[in-house]
Amino acid sequence: MSALTLPEIDAVVASARPVATDVVLLTLRAADGSELPPWQPGAHLDVEVQPGVERQYSLCGDPADRSVYQVAVLREPDGRGGSEHLHAHVREGDRLRVRGPLNHFGLHAVPPGGSYAFVAGGIGITPLLPMMRAADAAGIPFTLAYAGRSLERMPFVDELVAAYGDRVSVYTSELGHRFALSTLSGGTPSAPVAVYCCGPARMLTELEQVALDAGWPPDALHLERFEAREVTEPVRQESFEVELELSGMTLEVPPDRSILDVVEEAGVLVLSSCREGTCGTCETPVVSGEVDHRDSVLTPAEQEDNEVMMICVSRAACPRLVLEL
């Protein structure tokens, strides 16, 4: 069994509309016409592109509209083939199997006097769209710095400028415009700023360094990653034991295999998708033991709490872990 259960939905593509060069907006409905599961800004779906092939896409529509989900898909010619398949073969009326929503990038409330600073790189704009709508509806000040290669490759840029005016700053590399991440701030105790960023790995790494150098509060920076962050060698080089508390099994995890691989081989069902620590689907509660967190989902504070782990990449930092599986 799995500690995490997500709805599985048989969806039909209501529309597939280009919204920028190499970006298509898919609008999905439940095939049986039922209301879709609720979600909050920052959530994503696991989309079964082909049998056994899943990809994660941020929900970018309106959480109040339970009749449809919307995801924007960037064509990545040098990727693993998922986006190419969706662009080349998925049309209005086609069926897609999706799972979710799942949210590890939720929009947290700011105290009175606080504000949001949103930073997007290219297709990283998608999870920020419903966040900005929520902030605007609540009357909370925000800014958006939106960077991309060219205006033609930046989805929703015209709509954003029209809706939010000078709260939106657009930067295009082809014109030599680059946003200086160092100008961002986590604010002050009396006027905190919550910074939400989604984009390429280089942007996120640079912003993490900016926050560290400037001494931002630990809860000021929130990141959504498209790809796994680089990690060092595991804390523990040798094998370790994993006790599955609910299944009554104790398994040995060798250095060259993941906990997820070993658990699946033992016949224990665990939901998983990306298998590289970016989607959060295999999140598993930790009963006891110290975790070597190697995921790209949990915040440093959440990793320090040691309450959950992503068993596709994270390992033990002790001889024995006990998991709620």
Side-chain angles (χ1 to χ4, degrees), residues 107-111 113-116 118 132 134-143 167:
L107 183 66
H108 300 283
V110 292
S115 62
Y116 295 109
F118 298 110
M132 285 182 281
D136 190 51
I140 301 173
F142 71 88
T143 60
R167 286 177 284 181

Side-chain angles (χ1 to χ4, degrees), residues 24-303:
V24 63
L25 179 68
L26 301 179
T27 299
L28 309 175
R29 298 184 183 274
D32 62 3
S34 61
E35 194 173 64
L36 294 165
W39 62 281
Q40 295 298 320
H44 71 260
L45 289 178
D46 290 344
V47 178
E48 187 178 57
V49 179
Q50 298 177 8
V53 178
E54 293 185 353
R55 297 291 183 265
Q56 292 73 46
Y57 297 105
S58 297
L59 286 162
C60 58
D62 181 2
D65 185 355
R66 300 276 298 280
S67 67
V68 297
Y69 287 151
Q70 289 188 315
V71 296
V73 180
L74 170 67
R75 184 196 296 268
E76 298 181 272
D78 298 325
R80 294 175 294 170
S83 66
E84 281 282 0
H85 180 85
L86 290 175
H87 274 259
H89 301 292
V90 173
R91 300 290 183 266
E92 181 178 336
D94 288 347
R95 295 287 187 95
L96 285 175
R97 193 77 179 164
V98 302
R99 186 168 62 205
L102 179 62
N103 199 341
H104 282 282
F105 190 48
L107 183 66
H108 300 283
V110 292
S115 62
Y116 295 109
F118 298 110
V119 183
I123 197 65
I125 191 65
T126 51
L128 305 183
L129 294 173
M131 293 185 179
M132 285 182 281
R133 295 190 196 105
D136 190 51
I140 301 173
F142 71 88
T143 60
L144 168 66
Y146 186 9
R149 288 168 53 187
S150 67
L151 291 176
E152 293 75 17
R153 303 187 68 86
M154 298 170 70
F156 313 110
V157 64
D158 292 336
E159 296 96 315
L160 288 166
V161 172
Y164 304 127
D166 60 7
R167 286 177 284 181
V168 177
S169 299
V170 178
Y171 303 86
T172 55
S173 56
E174 75 171 9
L175 297 178
H177 300 155
R178 186 175 187 275
F179 178 57
L181 294 172
S182 59
T183 62
L184 287 170
S185 166
T188 65
S190 59
V193 178
V195 180
Y196 282 78
C197 180
C198 184
R202 184 175 64 179
M203 171 183 278
L204 273 57
T205 299
E206 183 179 340
L207 187 51
E208 283 182 311
Q209 191 61 51
V210 167
L212 181 64
D213 292 344
W216 291 7
D219 58 349
L221 181 60
H222 307 266
L223 304 175
E224 174 87 322
R225 297 181 183 275
F226 294 147
E227 52 192 295
R229 74 174 96 198
E230 292 186 11
V231 293
T232 57
E233 290 296 316
V235 170
R236 185 177 181 83
Q237 301 289 339
E238 57 267 51
S239 300
F240 57 90
E241 289 187 341
V242 173
E243 178 184 338
L244 310 183
E245 186 179 58
L246 302 181
S247 302
M249 287 189 269
T250 298
L251 307 172
E252 181 176 334
V253 181
D256 61 343
R257 302 192 68 198
S258 69
I259 297 175
L260 178 60
D261 288 338
V262 171
V263 167
E264 287 181 330
E265 187 177 79
V268 178
L269 175 62
V270 181
L271 290 182
S272 65
S273 183
C274 72
R275 306 184 82 93
E276 58 182 20
T278 59
C279 73
T281 304
C282 68
E283 177 182 305
T284 300
V286 177
V287 178
S288 65
E290 185 179 353
V291 178
D292 176 13
H293 290 285
R294 305 170 65 77
D295 66 273
S296 302
V297 176
L298 299 175
T299 66
E302 289 170 334
Q303 292 183 346

